[in-house]
Amino acid sequence: MNAIQYSEYDCEDTGRFLTEACLAKQGFDIRVERAQWSNAGTALIDTGDNCLLRLMLPASSQIKPNCGTFSNGGGRQFQPLGKLLFIPHGTEFHLRHDACEQKALVCVFDPASLGVLGSYRWNWQDSVSEAMLNLQSGYLHASLQRLADEVSSPGFASELQTECLLTSIALDLRREFIDGARSAETRSDHQRKLSPRQLNLLREMLNEGEDENRSLRRLAQACELPVRTLSTRFKNTTGMTLRHYAAQLRLEKAMALLANPRLLVKQVAYQAGFNNAAAFGAAFRKELGVTPEEFRRQRQG
């Protein structure tokens, strides 16, 4: 892809890249691409004046995810890359890979070249974040998957469809990283709130039910915030403490499980994340005013 400067600097084998499908126009170049590295190494990726989005596709053989960072120093460490990552223009991205083969949608585009978006300033420098290395937006994931389908099997007015999708994607990224960061800077710390991405991430981790993922330290690390800041911003956003919110999620899950008559109350308690049936019963009655058994009978009635 001509818009990307890829320079391997840790090993002689620079890897092989095979384009399976592509759709290019002034302002964007989108490809379904296979990459294969026979050795581990590190590479510098410079997108110049363009932004890059990459969505991992099925048929990739990786024992563990590749890693990356926006800085080759300054204390930043290489982070595992998610299925969906974003590299804004004007940044140098360092990729650390293992010997592997992967298939991905690689989308290189210039937001300023997408119709009306040319009237906006696209300065990402003050908003570069490690969150870009593992985007958690279901909307962006779905939009990139649609782009992959469009490139692989072009339909009527594919270029127009692609440009519309990219315009929407660019606006969503801007709201998350440029405008979101700017609005946060204008508020004092005790007034700041969590972003929609952070809220969704917290809900997913709390719903997983694993004690390790529910620890305040792990939640704060995932949101890239200090523990105390996470607690403050969560209450600013939702009006409740993280502990109360987690308890409500457990009870919501328990109420849904109680609709299954084949599950014992004890099984519902453990599956909802309670340590034992007694703690479950006490929490349930305190919040709803009835026992789990009474709630189940009322629902069945």
Side-chain angles (χ1 to χ4, degrees):
M1 191 173 289
N2 295 331
I4 300 177
Q5 294 183 8
Y6 177 94
S7 305
E8 193 89 17
Y9 61 83
D10 268 5
C11 71
E12 296 180 358
D13 190 345
T14 60
R16 293 190 295 273
F17 300 88
L18 173 65
T19 299
E20 294 187 355
C22 67
L23 181 61
K25 187 183 176 182
Q26 182 179 359
F28 64 82
D29 187 346
I30 305 173
R31 305 189 183 193
V32 175
E33 187 175 75
R34 284 187 181 272
Q36 183 178 27
W37 292 277
S38 58
N39 295 298
T42 309
L44 170 65
I45 299 177
D46 186 355
T47 61
D49 295 330
N50 296 290
C51 298
L52 182 146
L53 276 164
R54 187 217 64 185
L55 173 67
M56 293 289 292
L57 298 174
S60 298
S61 59
Q62 287 182 282
I63 298 177
K64 58 182 179 179
N66 293 335
C67 298
T69 180
F70 287 114
S71 173
N72 195 27
R76 289 195 177 184
Q77 302 295 320
F78 280 84
Q79 301 292 327
L81 302 179
K83 290 184 178 180
L84 178 57
L85 69 83
F86 173 58
I87 305 175
H89 69 73
T91 58
E92 289 188 345
F93 175 73
H94 299 265
L95 170 70
R96 179 174 293 167
H97 60 80
D98 289 324
C100 64
E101 180 177 348
Q102 66 183 35
K103 181 178 179 180
L105 174 77
V106 182
C107 176
V108 178
F109 67 102
D110 177 12
S113 299
L114 297 174
V116 296
L117 299 187
S119 60
Y120 297 102
R121 293 185 61 186
W122 296 88
N123 181 15
W124 304 93
Q125 301 310 306
D126 296 331
S127 55
V128 174
S129 165
E130 291 179 353
M132 294 176 175
L133 304 182
N134 185 14
L135 296 176
Q136 297 293 317
S137 169
Y139 165 77
L140 287 175
H141 189 283
S143 297
L144 267 291
Q145 187 61 60
R146 287 187 64 188
L147 283 178
D149 296 339
E150 194 69 39
V151 172
S152 300
S153 302
F156 173 73
S158 283
E159 291 185 358
L160 178 59
Q161 175 75 7
T162 299
E163 188 168 346
C164 289
L165 282 169
L166 282 176
T167 300
S168 181
I169 288 169
L171 286 173
D172 198 59
L173 289 168
R174 181 188 178 93
R175 287 178 176 178
E176 174 71 19
F177 294 109
I178 296 181
D179 297 335
R182 186 180 301 141
S183 61
E185 290 175 357
T186 63
R187 299 191 295 267
S188 60
D189 190 64
H190 70 277
Q191 294 175 321
R192 293 182 186 178
K193 297 183 178 181
L194 298 175
S195 69
R197 178 191 67 82
Q198 290 171 320
L199 275 177
N200 289 334
L201 182 59
L202 288 173
R203 186 178 184 90
E204 289 175 3
M205 294 181 68
L206 290 170
N207 272 328
E208 285 178 0
E210 298 179 7
D211 291 339
E212 184 181 7
N213 283 340
R214 291 202 302 261
S215 73
L216 191 57
R217 181 182 60 84
R218 287 292 298 275
L219 296 173
Q221 285 178 345
C223 293
E224 299 180 340
L225 294 172
V227 170
R228 181 174 296 180
T229 301
L230 172 64
S231 299
T232 300
R233 293 190 185 180
F234 187 86
K235 190 165 185 179
N236 291 341
T237 307
T238 65
M240 65 179 73
T241 64
L242 256 172
R243 183 184 295 275
H244 188 197
Y245 181 72
Q248 280 199 343
L249 287 181
R250 288 197 296 271
L251 288 173
E252 289 174 6
K253 187 173 183 179
M255 286 187 284
L257 291 171
L258 285 169
N260 183 354
R262 292 188 297 272
L263 288 177
L264 300 175
V265 171
K266 179 171 64 175
Q267 292 174 306
V268 171
Y270 290 131
Q271 291 186 30
F274 290 88
N275 293 329
N276 53 65
F280 170 51
F284 200 95
R285 181 159 191 156
K286 180 179 179 181
E287 187 69 22
L288 299 175
V290 294
T291 66
E293 294 85 353
E294 291 170 339
F295 177 83
R296 170 175 274 174
R297 286 196 296 270
Q298 292 173 5
R299 288 286 296 270
Q300 291 174 345

